[in-house]
Structures are given as C-alpha cells and as structure tokens.
Amino acid sequence: MYFIPFYFENQNGEPRPLRHIIVLRDGLELPPDDYVFIENFCIDKNCDCRKAMINAISKSSRKILGTFTYGWEELGYYTKWLHGDKELAKKLKGPALELGGIQSEYSEILLEKFKELIEDENYRERLKEHYHLFKKRLREIRDEDLCLCGSSKQWQDCCAKLHDKLGAFAEDEHDIPIKPNLGRNDPCHCGSGKKYKKCCCSRDEGLNNPLEK
C-alpha cells in the first residue's frame, strides 16, 4: 500500500486546521515544539482499508517523529479483510505504531498523545469524513488536476506515479496488493531513499502473509 498526505478544504475552499499539540517548556515528556498530526490515506482506488496513517511531525525541524495506524471500524472488519488474521488485524486497526513507518525516540510518547486526541468523537468522525472524501477525489481526479498531496504539481507528474507502481493485485474481493518484486537491498518502493529491508519490507510481508495461508 502507498499512503499520501491529504490536504483538504472546507466549503469555502480554505484549508481546514490540522490537529496538533504545543509543548511550551522544557522538563516535559517532549521537547518544546509544535507537533502536527498529518493525515495520510491509501492511494489505491480499489482498496477499502478504512484506516488513516498519521505522521507526527515537528514543526521546527519538519521531521517525522512518529507514524501511527488508526482504523475506525470494528476489529471484525479488518480480520475479514485480512482473511481471518486477527493478530495482524489488531495491528492494522490500531491505534498503534505503523509497521514499517518512520519512528523516533519520541514515537511512543506521541502515540499516547494521538490516542488522547482520538478520544474526541469529532476528530474520529473527521478522519472518517476525510477518508471518504479522499477516496471520492481519487476516483474522480484527472491527470491535469493538482495532486491530492498538496503539492503544486499536476496529478500525472506527482502521486499518480506512485499509483502506477502499485503493480499486480491479489484477485480477490479485497484487492490486497501482493509483495513487490524487490530485493532486500534495493531502494524502497515508497521513495524514502532507504533500503527496502530497512523500510517497507516488514509491512509488505506482514500485510501479505494472509494471502499465503
């Protein structure tokens, strides 16, 4: 699966505010900073994973300090989607650290902060709304439209290239992508610049194990 950030507007075409936490002084669990929680969604038009991948980003350094998975459906939905693998479904549903995601020494603390944020029913409902809005726009987007990720590039010159790299899919009702045909030392397919074995390999293997059962 590939996930991209989704920058969304309200009915007036203005950017909607992102969730964030601000730490003002030293001596707390996190260094003083503004920590922004960016929503990412799956770029596969046929996938209905019903989850968000959240990047916790330091506003001062602009670095990702934690990557989390969060699905809002009941556990049974993800268990069925993953062909009965309940343990993997728990990891997919979260909230939890994203398998293969970028993490740091502050990931666990930021995950706890994210768990506090999603106690807010309005935030949970907003994530669902944004997921369905993203999927709708993904189905309707044209090559010449601006990319969904918020860049100034056209879709065809930006994240459409990731979509084209998705490759073959399992021919079942869930359309789960099969493991990419990459060597462990090849550059990762997500574009991070890391070796595949140190990036998305564990996530790809985990998500595809159910297909081998």
Side-chain angles (χ1 to χ4, degrees), residues 27-147:
L28 301 177
E29 297 174 300
L30 295 166
D33 206 339
D34 188 352
Y35 299 92
V36 184
F37 294 82
I38 303 291
E39 301 166 18
N40 301 260
F41 298 107
C42 174
I43 200 173
D44 179 8
K45 295 179 181 179
N46 299 312
C47 175
D48 192 20
C49 55
R50 301 188 192 180
K51 58 164 282 190
M53 186 176 76
I54 306 294
N55 291 133
I57 297 178
S58 159
K59 194 170 183 179
S60 62
S61 70
R62 297 185 178 275
K63 291 183 178 179
I64 297 175
L65 301 180
T67 309
F68 320 126
T69 180
Y70 172 65
W72 44 86
E73 299 292 349
E74 297 294 331
L75 180 61
Y77 177 85
Y78 303 101
T79 303
K80 181 180 179 181
W81 193 76
L82 289 167
H83 304 276
D85 192 326
K86 189 173 183 178
E87 291 306 310
L88 185 56
K90 290 178 182 178
K91 296 178 182 178
L92 184 69
K93 174 177 170 54
L97 297 179
E98 175 77 25
L99 294 172
I102 298 173
Q103 310 297 353
S104 73
E105 61 183 302
Y106 301 113
S107 297
E108 294 283 358
I109 299 172
L110 288 165
L111 174 60
E112 292 306 310
K113 299 300 182 185
F114 174 67
K115 289 179 179 179
E116 293 175 9
L117 289 177
I118 60 172
E119 288 295 315
D120 181 354
E121 183 179 358
N122 290 329
Y123 183 38
R124 296 197 304 271
E125 290 301 315
R126 195 174 81 174
L127 287 174
K128 296 180 194 178
E129 175 192 347
H130 291 169
Y131 170 83
H132 291 294
L133 177 59
F134 176 84
K135 289 294 185 177
K136 180 177 183 292
R137 292 192 182 178
L138 185 62
R139 290 191 297 269
E140 297 173 349
I141 196 165
R142 301 169 298 178
D143 286 345
E144 64 271 20
D145 291 339
L146 288 177
C147 189

Side-chain angles (χ1 to χ4, degrees), residues 135-169:
K135 289 294 185 177
K136 180 177 183 292
R137 292 192 182 178
L138 185 62
R139 290 191 297 269
E140 297 173 349
I141 196 165
R142 301 169 298 178
D143 286 345
E144 64 271 20
D145 291 339
L146 288 177
C147 189
L148 296 174
C149 73
S151 76
S152 59
K153 295 181 180 180
Q154 291 181 328
W155 168 251
Q156 62 187 350
D157 296 323
C158 196
C159 291
K161 296 179 179 180
L162 283 177
H163 186 273
D164 293 341
K165 286 182 181 179
L166 283 170
F169 287 83

